[in-house]
Structure formats: structure tokens, C-alpha cells
Amino acid sequence: QPMTAIAILKVTPEMAGMRMSPEEFDAVEEWDEDYNYELVEGVLVVVPPVSESERGPNEMLGHWLLRYKEDHPQGSALDLTLPENLLKTPRSRRRADRVLWTGLGRTPNVRKDRPTIAVEFVSAGKRSMQRDYVQKRDEYLVAGLKEYWIIDRFRRRMTVYRREQGEVVEVVIRERDSYTTDLLPGFQLPLAKLLAVSDALDQAKTDDGDDDEA
């Protein structure tokens, strides 16, 4: 049986695999902040630390989005963007690499207003690809997000899933292309420049003799 939130004084990595309800997960107030956590189909999951090769391009994307919001004539379409944000789906609590709120015309209540777009930077390994390309895609679209961006430095492409007239549409952006969306009019995402950030970080690790991939 799931433990009640009252019985959980602090969530730690040792609790990985514990069964919890979404309500119990939401009620916990103390976490071991050296780790990230998700609730997947009622099971507490410890999320591995995000590598520099993912954090770097995520920071760059955030920079581009904020510059768009501040400087572009149509930048008010972007209400807010946040990195490493917990995203609620009907049965799970997923940690997205980045989320965006668009079209509200106000600062969103991040606990109540559902994001419009979720972004994931693919981690190494088949399990990570399965999670990002299949599991999170299905959960995010069911939860009502309008778009889901997957930025994959291994396959050198970006995949976007969005709903059009009730159908899920897949759009693949190749390395030398840029992505635009009606949700952010006038914003362009040049994929090659984003991948170059990961490439530089990976090369720096190789130059130092560090070939480990987080």
C-alpha cells in the first residue's frame, strides 16, 4: 500500500521504487535536493543528474527565449519559461528539462496553469530514448500540452509532436534547419547552433581525458 504523505518526513534516493499516489507526491515538502525525482505510474523514481551537455544547450535555449520575450515585437506571446520544472500528468509527475507557457497574457501560476510546450534534451542510452520519445510524448500530449520538443544531439535532429485537429502530428527538424511555431510568432530555433553548444562541451571533456557520459 502507498505510504501517506504525513508518514514521509523527507524523500531521499533510498526511497526509489516506493509506491506513492500523485496526491502523496504533491504533498511532500522535504526532498534531498542533491537529486531530482519523478513519479511514474505510481512509483517514485530517482532521476540521474543532468549532464553538462544537456544543461548547456538548455541554458542557450532559455537565453534565446528570454531575448525573444524582451526584444521581439511579438515576444509577449511567451508568458514564461522555466528549466527543470515538474510537470503533472494524470498518473505521473515528470521533470521536464524546460517548459513554456504561451498565450495567457499574464504571468502563469506555475502550480495550476498547465504549460503549453515541454522540451526534453535526450540523454545517452536506449532507456532514456524510450522515455523521451515514447513515454513522455504520450503523457505530455494526454495532459493537454500543445507541443512537445525533443532535442537529440545523438541523432542530430529535433522532433516536435503537436496536436492538429485532434491528431498527433510529428515534425522532424534536421540539423541545418530552424524551427518555428505559431505559438511563438517570429521566434526561430536554429538547431545547428544549439547542437554546437553540446558539441563544444563534449569536446572539452574529451580534451581533458574525461569520456564519461552522465
Side-chain angles (χ1 to χ4, degrees):
Q1 295 293 324
M3 296 179 64
T4 63
I6 295 175
I8 304 173
L9 300 180
K10 183 175 182 179
V11 170
T12 64
E14 292 75 21
M15 295 179 179
M18 174 189 294
R19 296 202 62 82
M20 300 174 68
S21 69
E23 294 75 19
E24 289 166 345
F25 184 91
D26 293 342
V28 175
E29 296 183 355
E30 284 195 69
W31 307 84
D32 185 330
E33 295 182 357
D34 291 332
Y35 299 85
N36 292 323
Y37 304 88
E38 291 183 338
L39 186 70
V40 181
E41 298 290 330
V43 177
L44 182 68
V45 175
V46 178
V47 181
V50 180
S51 72
E52 298 90 343
S53 300
E54 296 168 50
R55 295 201 308 269
N58 197 0
E59 285 289 309
M60 181 62 76
L61 176 58
H63 169 69
W64 291 342
L65 287 166
L66 292 175
R67 189 171 62 184
Y68 163 79
K69 179 175 175 62
E70 293 175 358
D71 299 338
H72 195 278
Q74 296 173 287
S76 60
L78 175 62
D79 300 305
L80 182 68
T81 180
L82 291 175
E84 292 295 315
N85 198 79
L86 203 64
L87 199 156
K88 294 182 179 180
T89 69
R91 299 179 60 185
S92 300
R93 300 293 183 265
R94 291 288 196 174
R95 186 167 294 277
D97 289 333
R98 179 167 294 277
V99 294
L100 292 75
W101 289 264
T102 70
L104 293 173
R106 58 174 171 81
T107 300
N109 180 333
V110 298
R111 293 184 178 273
K112 294 183 179 180
D113 291 319
R114 181 184 296 112
T116 314
I117 301 169
V119 185
E120 295 289 350
F121 292 83
V122 176
S123 302
K126 290 183 179 180
R127 181 178 297 179
S128 295
M129 289 189 177
Q130 171 76 10
R131 179 189 64 223
D132 291 338
Y133 276 99
V134 179
Q135 297 171 358
K136 287 190 174 183
R137 176 200 64 193
D138 295 343
E139 291 180 36
Y140 289 170
L141 294 177
V142 167
L145 274 72
K146 293 184 179 180
E147 290 191 1
Y148 173 38
W149 304 355
I150 304 172
I151 298 170
D152 191 334
R153 70 184 192 275
F154 305 103
R155 297 182 179 180
R156 315 298 293 181
R157 70 187 190 189
M158 173 180 174
T159 304
V160 175
Y161 293 99
R162 60 192 182 206
R163 287 195 175 274
E164 294 183 3
Q165 300 179 344
E167 299 292 329
V168 176
V169 176
E170 177 186 272
V171 179
V172 176
I173 297 87
R174 302 299 176 184
E175 182 170 357
R176 296 300 171 186
D177 295 333
S178 295
Y179 179 65
T180 61
T181 171
D182 291 343
L183 298 173
L184 298 167
F187 177 76
Q188 290 194 11
L189 191 161
L191 184 57
K193 290 185 178 180
L194 207 57
L195 295 176
V197 178
S198 291
D199 294 343
L201 289 164
D202 285 338
Q203 184 62 47
K205 288 189 292 186
T206 301
D207 292 344
D208 288 339
D210 179 6
D211 294 328
D212 293 337
E213 175 64 52

